[in-house]
Amino acid sequence: MNRPAEDGELLAGARAGDQDAFRALVEGYQGIVAGVVIGMLGPGDDADDVGQETFIRFHSALDQFRGDAQLGTYLRRIAMNLSLNALKRRRRLGLRFISRDQSAAPLPEPVVEAHDAEGEERRDVVRAAVAQLTEKLRSVVVLRLLDGLSTNETAEVLKVPPGTVMSRLSRGMAELERVLAPYVRGDPHES
């Protein structure tokens, strides 16, 4: 999302205390933040909290944002750092991440039509597989594949060299291929 002129006006307004300008920034970037947070944490209360905290931190740092990076990159970086902190908290609390058989947080039963059920199941399987990756691999997979950032943009968000992004992406893809192989070959419940 490249909206520098509009973002500049909204940032100036938000810095001056215009709540509508800040709300417009939140509405414009909430999808990007949600993509990062849900990609890292999965859906649930943790993700909601981190998404809100991302914008709280951004609001607190409005005066420090110099515009060296695009606003979307800056918000992704905040969301990623807070997501990584949430994962560390989970680990410290002894919670385990999504396994093949269960999810970390119960998901509400979606109301879907019959033709959507297979797609929803596929998304849950992929989400569970991504959740099994290490934090470093998951962060690259989420930003690069799920969020659609370029290698250079991903490197900028994570503050690592582009070669590191490519290496982690390669390792992450290999791990996903290994975890998802039973689903590609056939019904995972047949084995």
Side-chain angles (χ1 to χ4, degrees), residues 27-181:
E27 289 170 358
Y29 286 95
Q30 65 188 359
I32 287 173
V33 169
V36 170
V37 172
I38 292 171
M40 291 299 293
L41 302 174
D45 291 341
D46 279 359
D48 292 343
D49 292 346
V50 169
Q52 290 176 1
E53 182 64 23
T54 298
F55 287 108
I56 291 169
R57 295 267 178 105
F58 172 55
H59 188 270
S60 298
L62 275 172
D63 291 333
Q64 286 84 31
F65 178 68
R66 297 182 311 261
D68 296 341
Q70 290 184 4
L71 185 54
T73 301
Y74 183 74
L75 288 168
R76 280 183 181 99
R77 186 176 302 138
I78 294 171
M80 182 60 69
N81 288 336
L82 291 173
S83 295
L84 291 170
N85 290 342
L87 289 173
K88 289 174 187 169
R89 268 193 309 279
R90 279 183 182 173
R91 214 175 19 254
R92 278 196 311 267
L93 294 172
L95 297 177
R96 297 295 180 249
F97 238 30
I98 297 173
S99 73
R100 272 201 232 269
D101 299 304
Q102 63 188 19
S103 64
L107 299 175
E109 286 297 321
V111 178
V112 293
E113 297 178 28
H115 70 277
D116 290 284
E118 188 175 309
E120 188 67 31
E121 181 180 344
R122 204 172 306 139
R123 280 187 292 279
D124 288 344
V125 168
V126 171
R127 187 180 297 131
V130 170
Q132 291 180 33
L133 297 174
T134 65
E135 292 168 9
K136 288 180 178 181
L137 299 182
R138 186 178 329 149
S139 63
V140 170
V141 167
V142 166
L143 292 173
R144 198 58 193 88
L145 299 181
L146 302 182
D147 212 21
L149 295 184
S150 71
T151 298
N152 289 334
E153 290 168 328
T154 301
E156 187 177 347
V157 169
L158 297 175
K159 294 185 175 181
V160 298
T164 301
V165 169
M166 293 183 338
S167 170
R168 289 178 184 173
L169 181 61
S170 176
R171 290 194 332 260
M173 292 300 297
E175 183 62 19
L176 286 174
E177 187 176 325
R178 184 189 66 75
V179 170
L180 294 172

